[in-house]
Amino acid sequence: MSFFGFGQSADIEIQLDGSDTRKMAEMKTEDGKKERYFLYYDGESVSGKVNVNLKKPGSRLEHQGVKIEFVGQIELYYDRGNHHEFTSLVKELARPGELPHNTSFDFEFNQVEKPYESYSGTNVRLRYFLRVTIVRRLSDIAREMDLLVHTLSSYPEMNNSIKMEVGIEDCLHIEFEYNKSKYHLKDVIVGKIYFLLVRIKIKHMEIAIIKRETTGSGPNTFNENETIAKYEIMDGAPVRGESIPIRVFLAGYDLTPTMRDINKKFSVRYYLNLVLVDEEERRYFKQQEITLWRKGERLRRPLQQQLMAQQQTLQQMSLNNQQSKFPQSHPQGQPPEFVSEEPNERDCKKLHSVESCHQSPQMTAAGAEPPSPQQSQSPMHEEAPEQLPTNPSPQPQARQQHFIAPPPQPEPELEPIDDDDTTPKLPSPPTELPNSIDSPEEEFLEAEGGLPSEEEEEDVDEREPVKSSSAVTQEPVPVAQ
């Protein structure tokens, strides 16, 4: 309000960059109400715009300079005259002169250090704020904007459990245990209480979370205790050997991280207070300090995006597995060990041996069979798989018995079958019909080792003329001399 020309003749507005998308958080004020502020973290830049709007259009605003400050300070309520500033950064927006019309100024505090977390307690307040000041001769025009700062911590390396035995001599001995000594603000406290000795009549037992705020130092130290939560965990008299479970959820309470000697001005600590009340209303308690820390929140994507990402991951994994099994260097995309093992006519011609396409007579006589997977593997030890040859044999049984086919020969010779072989070998189908199906010598030759090749037939014709059967008359074939 302007009185005889004195007073504020302009309004100051502070706009932060990204205010539409920036997260906000709540914090208590001095009167106990909760207000929402823009949330920042340590090392994050603070930038925006300052708008100076003149109240009277057409007038001019004389000033001695325009500046903006980023301030972090500690206020002790019992010493309100002194503000302890631990961070103070100043940016000059305009030099001394006049503002003929509404003006905007851009500002930026790059990577500001924010060592402590914002806090508002019973006797102390730690706050961060922006302050814009238009310096004038008689009275300055100022505007402040509070910011909220959270300090994130990583998971502690050492987080031992708490286990302690307490009690009254010859009256009460209890042993309590908590699963951890350091908890984040959304954690769950899990523990148990075990009664070793009970000689007093206990009526009920409760556990409470207590916040202790310490301000000042030396003789001017003030402690303020505040009970955050209280649970009754037992009702009735316990007996020896009884165990009481404990489970406390911290997410539903307004907690702050543990603060120790913040700028040598104040501390905030948390305790678990175990209280036992007997029938005469006497209270027995034991306090145990715990450490609270703030954990970074996860940014969760929508459910549809999560499902799509999982499907893409599974498809990529299956594709990688197929590529690892079937390398691209093979012409057909399959390794040589997956080639069909059934013998064919081409393999028989390549090996130049008819016997290599069939089972060995020795294996048949001995009754050998390929070992089953149950027989080839021991129940206690797993055997190493046999390395398959690059050119697999067409007979799988011969490969399992380490049978190596003979190298190809230009003109193989037929070997007579041993007399000891009791199982006769089936003859292979002839490629051409014989001259006489009733010839006893040719039948014996077929039963002995199969039909000879074309070259061998010519040799047989030269050496011995074929005898005609008595049933079929046949003219002798002339042989060229």
Side-chain angles (χ1 to χ4, degrees), residues 5 30 51 70 77 112 125 136 138 175 196 285 299 364 373 381 423 439 444:
E30 294 184 25
N51 299 325
F70 180 84
Y77 294 158
V112 185
R125 180 172 68 162
R136 303 181 65 189
L138 298 178
E175 181 181 88
L196 301 175
F285 67 96
L299 298 178
T364 307
H381 303 282
T423 304
S439 176
F444 176 77

Side-chain angles (χ1 to χ4, degrees), residues 228-298:
I228 303 296
K230 182 184 294 185
Y231 287 96
E232 183 177 283
I233 58 177
M234 187 192 69
D235 185 13
V239 296
R240 181 179 178 180
E242 188 171 358
S243 179
I244 307 298
I246 299 175
R247 186 177 293 270
V248 180
F249 294 85
L250 302 178
Y253 303 104
D254 186 14
L255 301 173
T256 64
T258 299
M259 305 179 183
R260 292 186 174 89
D261 297 332
I262 301 300
N263 202 28
K264 298 182 179 179
K265 294 295 185 294
F266 72 98
S267 300
V268 179
R269 290 182 169 88
Y270 291 88
Y271 297 85
L272 289 177
N273 190 29
L274 184 64
V275 180
L276 286 80
V277 182
D278 61 5
E279 293 183 352
E280 298 179 1
E281 298 298 330
R282 289 180 297 188
R283 301 173 67 89
Y284 309 91
F285 67 96
K286 176 61 180 179
Q287 289 186 358
Q288 178 63 41
E289 183 178 1
I290 60 174
T291 302
L292 299 183
W293 54 282
R294 186 179 298 278
K295 182 181 179 181
E297 298 181 0
R298 290 184 178 180

Side-chain angles (χ1 to χ4, degrees), residues 448-471:
E448 186 73 14
L451 288 178
S453 61
E454 297 178 358
E455 298 177 358
E456 293 177 353
E457 286 180 356
E458 294 177 1
D459 295 340
V460 172
D461 294 339
E462 292 179 358
R463 289 178 294 184
E464 296 181 2
V466 180
K467 296 180 180 180
S468 59
S469 175
S470 59

Side-chain angles (χ1 to χ4, degrees), residues 59-299:
S59 61
R60 294 175 178 269
L61 177 63
E62 296 183 0
H63 62 87
Q64 302 298 321
V66 181
K67 63 180 181 179
I68 184 171
E69 302 172 83
F70 180 84
V71 182
Q73 70 178 16
I74 299 174
E75 300 177 6
L76 299 173
Y77 294 158
Y78 60 85
D79 189 11
R80 293 183 177 272
N82 298 325
H83 297 322
H84 306 277
E85 295 184 358
F86 55 87
T87 298
S88 180
L89 302 176
V90 183
K91 294 280 187 180
E92 185 178 356
L93 301 179
R95 295 184 178 181
E98 292 183 352
L99 295 179
H101 49 75
N102 298 341
T103 311
S104 297
F105 305 96
D106 295 331
F107 70 92
E108 181 180 6
F109 295 97
N110 190 22
Q111 298 180 355
V112 185
E113 182 182 0
K114 311 174 191 67
Y116 311 121
E117 180 164 332
S118 300
Y119 175 75
S120 179
T122 307
N123 296 323
V124 65
R125 180 172 68 162
L126 190 151
R127 60 189 287 251
Y128 294 88
F129 60 92
L130 292 171
R131 180 167 55 200
V132 179
T133 306
I134 301 177
V135 182
R136 303 181 65 189
R137 292 183 179 179
L138 298 178
S139 61
D140 298 339
I141 303 175
R143 172 69 186 274
E144 293 183 356
M145 181 179 184
D146 284 87
L147 305 176
L148 197 62
V149 174
H150 281 176
T151 302
L152 302 180
S153 303
S154 58
Y155 191 85
E157 296 181 359
M158 298 296 295
N159 198 356
N160 299 326
S161 60
I162 301 173
K163 187 174 182 180
M164 188 177 299
E165 183 178 343
V166 295
I168 306 172
E169 186 177 359
D170 296 335
C171 293
L172 178 67
H173 287 177
I174 63 175
E175 181 181 88
F176 65 87
E177 181 179 1
Y178 303 116
N179 59 340
K180 294 184 290 186
S181 59
K182 301 176 182 179
Y183 300 89
H184 61 81
L185 301 183
K186 307 297 181 182
D187 210 340
V188 182
I189 299 175
V190 179
K192 66 177 182 178
I193 298 173
Y194 186 74
F195 289 89
L196 301 175
L197 178 63
V198 182
R199 290 183 178 178
I200 58 177
K201 296 181 179 180
I202 299 176
K203 186 168 61 175
H204 67 271
M205 181 170 56
E206 61 187 20
I207 188 172
I209 303 175
I210 296 178
K211 181 179 73 172
R212 178 173 298 172
E213 179 185 294
T214 304
T215 56
S217 59
N220 298 325
T221 301
F222 298 92
N223 293 324
E224 189 72 26
N225 294 334
E226 179 183 358
T227 301
I228 303 296
K230 182 184 294 185
Y231 287 96
E232 183 177 283
I233 58 177
M234 187 192 69
D235 185 13
V239 296
R240 181 179 178 180
E242 188 171 358
S243 179
I244 307 298
I246 299 175
R247 186 177 293 270
V248 180
F249 294 85
L250 302 178
Y253 303 104
D254 186 14
L255 301 173
T256 64
T258 299
M259 305 179 183
R260 292 186 174 89
D261 297 332
I262 301 300
N263 202 28
K264 298 182 179 179
K265 294 295 185 294
F266 72 98
S267 300
V268 179
R269 290 182 169 88
Y270 291 88
Y271 297 85
L272 289 177
N273 190 29
L274 184 64
V275 180
L276 286 80
V277 182
D278 61 5
E279 293 183 352
E280 298 179 1
E281 298 298 330
R282 289 180 297 188
R283 301 173 67 89
Y284 309 91
F285 67 96
K286 176 61 180 179
Q287 289 186 358
Q288 178 63 41
E289 183 178 1
I290 60 174
T291 302
L292 299 183
W293 54 282
R294 186 179 298 278
K295 182 181 179 181
E297 298 181 0
R298 290 184 178 180
L299 298 178

